[in-house]
Amino acid sequence: MQKTAKRSLSFSDIRRLIPFLIFIVAVIVSIITTWHVTGHILDSDASSEMVLAHQLSKSHSILSRDWLYSTELRVLNSQLFFSFFFHCFENWHLVRFFSAVTLQALMILGYSYMLKKTDFQWQNIWIGSAMLLLPASVTYGRVILYHSHYIVHLCLAFFIIGTIAETAKEFSFKSTIILTIVNWNVTLA
C-alpha cells in the first residue's frame, strides 16, 4: 500500500493567493459600501435615472415617449438595469443596490476580458479588479460605482479594447462581428 504525501503550501503558493484574497476582500467591502450608499445617498441625477427606469419598467419599454431627456437620448445605459430590477423588486433601495452590484460585476468582467486578451496574468487582474471596486475618491465612488452614471461606458470600453486586442492577434470573422456589434452598441450609449 502506497502512502500519498500531503503537500503543504509553500511560500510561493501563498504569494500567488494574496492577489485573489485582496480581490475577495475588495468585493466584500464593495458590497457593504454599495448597500450603505444606495440606501442613504441620493442626488438629483441619480434620482432622475431611477424615476426614468421606473417609468420604463411600468411601460415595458427601453425608450420613453413621455420623458424629457436632459442632454442625450440614453438607450444602452444604467436605466436598463434599474428597469430590469424594478420588475423584480418594488423596493427602490434593492433596485439601486442590485443594479449597482450587477454593473460593478460587469465592469470587472470587462476589465478581466481586456487584460486576458492583452496577456496579463491573473494575479495582476485580481489586483486591478480590486482597485476598480474600491472608491479611490468620493467622485469615483459616487459617479461610477454607486450612482452608476458612466460604468456602462467603462464596461463597453473594456470589452472593445479586449476585442481589438484579440482581433489584432489573429484576425477572425467572429472577432470582427463581435467588435462591430459592440461598436454599434457604444454609439447607443
Side-chain angles (χ1 to χ4, degrees):
M1 183 178 220
Q2 187 177 9
K3 291 184 177 180
T4 58
K6 287 188 175 182
R7 185 175 172 263
S8 63
L9 285 175
S10 68
F11 179 71
S12 64
D13 292 337
I14 293 171
R15 200 176 87 203
R16 276 195 297 262
L17 280 175
I18 289 173
F20 178 71
L21 295 174
I22 290 171
F23 172 72
I24 294 300
V25 169
V27 167
I28 293 167
V29 168
S30 179
I31 288 171
I32 292 168
T33 308
T34 302
W35 177 258
H36 175 75
V37 171
T38 57
H40 295 94
I41 299 176
L42 185 63
D43 59 20
S44 61
D45 291 334
S47 62
S48 68
E49 291 294 316
M50 294 289 293
V51 171
L52 171 60
H54 188 260
Q55 181 178 345
L56 293 174
S57 74
K58 295 295 182 198
S59 65
H60 303 288
S61 64
I62 61 170
L63 285 175
S64 174
R65 295 173 190 241
D66 302 328
W67 184 263
L68 296 175
Y69 292 88
S70 58
T71 56
E72 71 265 357
L73 183 64
R74 304 181 76 163
V75 180
L76 182 62
N77 217 316
S78 57
Q79 82 275 4
L80 293 180
F81 294 89
F82 293 132
S83 180
F84 170 78
F85 284 109
F86 271 120
H87 290 289
C88 303
F89 309 108
E90 291 183 19
N91 183 311
W92 289 46
H93 180 205
L94 291 177
V95 169
R96 282 188 72 204
F97 172 74
F98 281 106
S99 296
V101 169
T102 301
L103 285 164
Q104 290 171 18
L106 285 174
M107 180 177 64
I108 296 306
L109 286 173
Y111 179 75
S112 301
Y113 174 77
M114 176 187 72
L115 290 188
K116 276 312 276 182
K117 295 302 177 184
T118 52
D119 297 327
F120 277 77
Q121 295 179 350
W122 275 109
Q123 290 86 352
N124 298 331
I125 294 172
W126 294 128
I127 293 293
S129 296
M131 291 172 61
L132 280 175
L133 286 176
L134 298 176
S137 70
V138 172
T139 303
Y140 174 73
R142 286 186 74 171
V143 173
I144 303 292
L145 295 176
Y146 310 126
H147 293 302
S148 307
H149 292 306
Y150 297 106
I151 195 166
V152 173
H153 299 81
L154 283 175
C155 295
L156 291 171
F158 290 148
F159 280 114
I160 288 171
I161 293 168
T163 306
I164 289 170
E166 180 182 20
T167 305
K169 286 182 189 175
E170 179 181 328
F171 176 79
S172 72
F173 183 72
K174 178 183 170 187
S175 296
T176 305
I177 294 299
I178 291 171
L179 184 60
T180 303
I181 290 169
V182 169
N183 279 330
W184 182 75
N185 285 322
V186 166
T187 62
L188 296 176

